[in-house]
Amino acid sequence: YIPFYYHLGKYLNIKKMIEIETGAALHSCSFLKSCKSIETFLAFQSKKDDFFSSRFAYKNIKKNYKGDFDLYYGNIKDNNFEVKVNKHNWDLVLFNEEEMSYDSLLFTFSKLWLNLESDGLFVVNFVNSIDSVKKCFNNFCKIQNIKNVILNTRYGTGIIKK
């Protein structure tokens, strides 16, 4: 399912991208490999109980993206992260969260939606495989009165356009 992001990048001409739950940055790196128009990139990884080294993501991004980027490691509700998110209207949001509760997902979707550029894309992974993500994604689309597209990638990828 990672090649999907590479192919998506071939067809988009965007300048500002944010990724939520970057992990080792495999999704964003696949995208960045084919999309050469990115000027601003913010990667977010939440602090979790299990060990996660942000060095994996940093090295992978550096290898695939030659521009400046910011890798934020913390809590989605941190003031510092909120300042970074509010700094731009994003053209693309890649969302890869697997473990958030429904309420946290809805809060995060709403927060990111406010900072999504008109005609921006919100791409959500795991919409077919994780019930809380599926419910939240569908309900969020109803609340915003927008039509979504769900692609049958390995875990299901939902896309909405603002």
Side-chain angles (χ1 to χ4, degrees), residues 121-155:
L121 291 178
F122 199 108
V123 180
V124 180
N125 203 4
F126 304 109
V127 295
N128 286 342
S129 60
I130 298 175
D131 286 337
S132 60
V133 176
K134 182 181 198 171
K135 255 188 222 172
C136 185
F137 180 76
N138 288 323
N139 287 341
F140 181 78
C141 291
K142 286 177 189 171
I143 291 166
Q144 297 297 327
N145 195 27
I146 49 177
K147 186 174 173 138
N148 65 45
V149 174
I150 297 177
L151 303 171
N152 289 321
T153 57
R154 183 175 183 184
Y155 300 109

Side-chain angles (χ1 to χ4, degrees), residues 36-68:
K36 302 301 181 194
S37 59
I38 300 288
E39 295 172 358
T40 304
F41 176 43
L42 172 59
F44 171 82
Q45 178 60 47
S46 61
K47 287 186 179 178
K48 299 185 179 183
D49 292 336
D50 52 340
F51 175 76
F52 176 83
S53 174
S54 59
R55 290 181 294 183
F56 291 123
Y58 184 83
K59 288 285 190 185
N60 284 338
I61 294 167
K62 259 319 214 191
K63 187 187 282 186
N64 292 285
Y65 179 62
K66 302 308 174 203
D68 290 331

Side-chain angles (χ1 to χ4, degrees), residues 4-22:
F4 164 77
Y5 293 92
Y6 175 83
H7 292 290
L8 181 65
K10 290 194 303 189
Y11 297 102
L12 297 179
N13 184 23
I14 62 169
K15 305 248 184 262
K16 296 171 288 214
M17 172 179 142
I18 184 170
E19 182 179 33
I20 303 299
E21 295 305 331
T22 299

Side-chain angles (χ1 to χ4, degrees), residues 46 69 72-73 80-81 89 109:
S46 61
F69 66 93
Y72 188 87
Y73 187 59
N80 290 338
F81 180 64
N89 283 336
F109 280 18

